[in-house]
Amino acid sequence: MGDMANLFETGRFAQPSDQDEAADEAQEAADEAAEEVRRRLAAEAGDVEAMSVLGAMLLRRGDFDGAESHLRAATAAGDRAAANNLGVLLHQRGYADEAAGWWRIAAVAGSAPAAHALGRHFRERGDEPAAEYWLRQAAEQGHVLGAYALADLLEHRGDEAGARRWMRAAAERGHREAAYRLARTLDRNAGHRRDGRDEGDTEAADEAEQWYRQAAARGHRRAALHLGTILEKRGELKEAGRWYLTSAKDGEARAACALGFLLRDAGDTESAAVWWLRAAQNGDGNAANALGALHAERGETQTAERWYRAAMDAGDDNGAYNLGLLCADQGRTTQAEQWYRRAAYAGHREASNALAILLLRSGDETGAEPWFSKAAEAGSVDAAFNLGILHAGRGEERAALRWYERAASAGHTEAALQVGIARLRDGDEREAERFLRCAAGGGSAEAAYRLATVLDARRPPAPEHELGEPAHEKSECEEWYERAASQGHRRAQVRVGMMAAARGDVVEAARWYREAAEAGSRNGAFNLGLLLAREGSEPEAVVWWRRAADAGHGRAALRLALVCARRGELAEGQRWADLAVSLGPREVGERAARLRDALRQELSA
């Protein structure tokens, strides 16, 4: 390798030049001319093979007149290749029936190309039995194009097994379109099995990938696109990108679009935009939508609108939907409704849902409901949930639950929460727990809290340590309380604080109480006051009790009344006691009433 590199560097190693290539082409032309002269001389001397080859050479060149005489002479002498080529010549001149006659002669004599040509002729005329007969003759002799044409015919007639057999035969002999179509068939069959909740035909899927790979390696751009898609789903992004690039360079707009998304996900937005532009200019609506979204994110709304319109013109309903979203963001409600309607009438389910929401916000519940229903029936999970809200607002609990269950079964977190609450209300704790777990797992803080309360109610009393010290091992319900608390759920924060206080962790308890109180929890504020008072910080405790009492916490008002009474602030104490009486609960109200009466007597004494 070192010597080779040195020769390259010094210029002593001869490299091809334009002049060399021109010389090679000239030499090839000279060789071909010389070969033609030799064949012509041999043909004039009566050599049948030379007549046939010369006729074929002239036919390829387009010299039909010169070719025909030689081909007819060779055919008359019994050369089947010449008969086949004579048929080709006559077919190209428009004499299809005469061409078929010569093809039949050649095919009967055993010419596979002629049998293929004759089969194609009969298929074009609608005579499928004759077409199948001759194509089968060609295919069984190993003719690649015959095998592919036979497979295509059998597929058209619904003979899947026969079509696959001959498509495979053509693919194995290097026919790239056959390899692609065989891969598509295997891919579809594997997909149908997966959709049917079977284990999936992984063997067929693997074989499909191999045929995609072979077709792509032979330059089939759609095969390269599908291969890239398979690899991307599997997470092999680098190789997927390479096949997308190969396909995109060959003019496949969908591959250019997919490559753009791959680049965007890798953080290279500028390169992504280049490929999206290329795809959009070739009529890919998805790429036009992607460009529209890119410009919308940059605040370039006019450019975004132009690309959304281009997507719509390319037949992509997402263009109209995205135009609706763009107008809605700008407060152009009338235009938004117009675009949503256009997409919704075309069957766009999310546009139907968005249109229904728009109508509902404008007070047109009657107009909104059919669009929610249409979107939900088309598979929109959000629309099913919204229908649940709509029915619940009317007090139609059974109908609401039906739609909530439908959305929950599709993974809608808030719908699962609503079903869980309904099951709790009906006393079906086991089903409630199942739905609450789904919702909590999906990130719902309220579901996590409610699930924790269900588990908490089942929890047996905490065992005591042998030495009498309480042993603490975190239970599942505590974990759910903490998850809800960490998501900002105020009641869960109070509950976690109470658990921390019960095990003597005052710092942790104060942290959670304070977080809840600062978020507006009156129970959090009251408990924080109790904790501070026990720690000797009564002035700060009073601050939090005051906040709790102002928010309607009766016990906090009673505590403030007691503090004021102890300090001798009788009038202030009476005021807080009055508030505690009005706020309750009953036992608090009774104590506050006795304290208030005592303070009155002392004030009047």
Side-chain angles (χ1 to χ4, degrees):
M1 288 297 292
D3 293 341
M4 182 75 75
N6 290 337
L7 288 171
F8 268 117
E9 289 165 7
T10 58
R12 293 170 58 195
F13 189 88
Q15 300 182 54
S17 66
D18 292 340
Q19 290 180 345
D20 292 335
E21 290 178 5
D24 290 341
E25 290 175 3
Q27 183 62 46
E28 287 176 7
D31 291 343
E32 187 175 346
E35 176 66 16
E36 182 181 339
V37 169
R38 284 195 297 273
R39 294 291 182 181
R40 194 177 291 277
L41 291 172
E44 290 173 356
D47 189 323
V48 175
E49 182 185 357
M51 294 177 195
S52 179
V53 173
L54 179 59
M57 291 175 66
L58 295 171
L59 177 62
R60 281 196 300 271
R61 190 187 301 166
D63 183 359
F64 291 171
D65 292 334
E68 186 171 355
S69 60
H70 293 292
L71 290 174
R72 285 190 181 276
T75 299
D79 190 291
R80 69 184 187 188
N84 175 56
N85 287 330
L86 180 57
V88 172
L89 185 149
L90 292 168
H91 186 269
Q92 290 184 7
R93 280 186 158 175
Y95 304 120
D97 292 335
E98 188 180 352
W102 290 111
W103 281 331
R104 184 184 293 275
I105 291 170
V108 169
S111 171
H116 165 248
L118 190 57
R120 291 283 300 274
H121 169 79
F122 281 119
R123 187 171 183 190
E124 287 170 3
R125 275 155 178 68
D127 187 351
E128 291 190 0
E132 182 181 350
Y133 175 82
W134 289 110
L135 291 175
R136 193 176 293 277
Q137 294 295 315
E140 288 175 350
Q141 292 180 67
H143 193 274
V144 177
L145 295 178
Y148 175 72
L150 177 59
D152 186 66
L153 176 61
L154 294 173
E155 185 177 83
H156 169 71
R157 292 168 62 177
D159 183 357
E160 293 183 9
R164 189 183 301 187
R165 174 195 168 196
W166 289 110
M167 200 69 78
R168 189 186 300 277
E172 287 171 349
R173 291 181 176 89
H175 195 290
R176 72 178 189 182
E177 185 65 27
Y180 170 72
R181 288 180 62 175
L182 177 60
R184 292 294 294 146
T185 301
L186 293 166
D187 208 359
R188 279 194 298 269
N189 290 343
H192 289 324
R193 289 187 177 92
R194 284 191 292 270
D195 293 342
R197 298 184 181 276
D198 199 348
E199 291 180 359
D201 192 348
T202 54
E203 186 178 341
D206 291 342
E207 188 182 359
E209 181 181 339
Q210 293 308 312
W211 288 115
Y212 278 137
R213 195 175 289 278
Q214 288 196 34
R218 295 183 185 119
H220 197 292
R221 69 187 192 187
R222 282 175 296 165
L225 167 65
H226 285 286
L227 180 57
T229 303
I230 290 170
L231 293 166
E232 183 180 2
K233 287 179 180 176
R234 205 158 62 210
E236 299 175 22
L237 303 183
K238 188 174 181 180
E239 190 179 0
R242 190 170 74 247
W243 286 113
Y244 283 149
L245 180 61
T246 299
S247 181
K249 284 182 175 178
D250 286 341
E252 182 61 52
R254 290 176 296 169
C257 181
L259 180 59
F261 282 111
L262 211 60
L263 290 165
R264 182 205 62 183
D265 293 343
D268 190 354
T269 309
E270 295 305 317
S271 296
V274 170
W275 287 105
W276 283 334
L277 178 61
R278 184 167 176 171
Q281 288 173 338
N282 286 327
D284 190 283
N286 194 22
N289 272 313
L291 282 172
L294 184 64
H295 287 288
E297 287 173 8
R298 295 172 176 172
E300 301 164 355
T301 55
Q302 289 185 339
T303 307
E305 185 170 338
R306 180 167 61 84
W307 282 114
Y308 288 148
R309 287 179 182 274
M312 194 169 55
D313 292 341
D316 193 324
D317 298 330
N318 281 315
Y321 172 59
N322 287 330
L323 276 169
L325 291 175
L326 193 68
C327 292
D329 287 341
Q330 296 172 337
R332 295 155 58 195
T333 308
T334 303
Q335 291 90 335
E337 182 181 339
Q338 169 196 344
W339 292 117
Y340 285 150
R341 280 190 186 278
R342 179 163 179 169
Y345 278 122
H348 195 290
R349 67 187 189 189
E350 300 310 326
S352 299
N353 183 55
L355 175 60
I357 291 172
L358 202 66
L359 294 170
L360 194 61
R361 285 175 178 166
S362 66
D364 186 4
E365 184 177 314
T366 304
E369 186 173 354
W371 287 111
F372 276 137
S373 296
K374 185 174 182 179
E377 293 298 343
S380 171
V381 181
D382 288 334
F385 178 64
N386 289 334
L387 273 173
I389 294 174
L390 202 64
H391 285 290
R394 297 173 185 164
E396 300 165 357
E397 298 297 335
R398 189 177 297 277
L401 182 58
R402 187 172 65 251
W403 285 110
Y404 284 146
E405 286 176 337
R406 184 163 177 172
S409 66
H412 196 287
T413 299
E414 291 304 312
L417 169 62
Q418 294 303 319
V419 176
I421 292 171
R423 292 285 182 261
L424 280 178
R425 191 167 54 242
D426 295 340
D428 190 350
E429 191 176 288
R430 186 172 298 278
E431 276 295 286
E433 180 183 343
R434 184 168 71 87
F435 281 100
L436 289 174
R437 283 187 184 278
C438 290
S444 169
E446 181 65 24
Y449 172 73
R450 287 179 181 266
L451 175 60
T453 60
V454 169
L455 298 172
D456 203 0
R458 297 181 196 159
R459 191 169 55 159
E464 293 196 355
H465 194 269
E466 292 177 356
L467 298 177
E469 298 176 0
H472 182 77
E473 184 176 341
K474 191 176 289 187
S475 63
E476 187 187 3
C477 78
E478 288 179 85
E479 291 174 355
W480 285 113
Y481 276 135
E482 287 181 1
R483 182 180 294 195
S486 65
Q487 291 176 255
H489 194 285
R490 295 182 303 181
R491 285 176 293 167
Q493 290 169 342
V494 172
R495 186 64 185 160
V496 173
M498 291 171 65
M499 289 177 167
R503 63 176 179 264
D505 191 344
V506 177
V507 175
E508 184 73 0
R511 181 174 76 84
W512 284 113
Y513 287 150
R514 191 179 299 276
E515 197 163 327
E518 288 175 347
S521 169
R522 61 190 186 186
N523 284 331
F526 175 70
N527 287 357
L528 180 57
L530 288 178
L531 201 66
L532 291 167
R534 291 192 192 110
E535 295 297 309
S537 302
E538 188 176 271
E540 190 180 354
V542 167
V543 172
W544 289 107
W545 283 333
R546 192 185 297 277
R547 182 182 291 192
D550 289 340
H553 198 288
R555 286 189 174 85
L558 178 58
R559 285 280 176 174
L560 288 169
L562 290 168
V563 169
C564 290
R566 193 169 60 250
R567 292 176 178 175
E569 300 169 358
L570 304 184
E572 184 70 4
Q574 186 177 338
R575 187 176 71 80
W576 286 115
D578 281 336
L579 182 60
V581 169
S582 65
L583 292 175
R586 184 174 60 81
E587 65 274 13
V588 170
E590 290 172 355
R591 287 183 61 193
R594 290 196 296 272
L595 177 59
R596 179 190 59 191
D597 293 343
L599 291 173
R600 276 181 188 163
Q601 289 176 7
E602 194 164 339
L603 278 168
S604 60

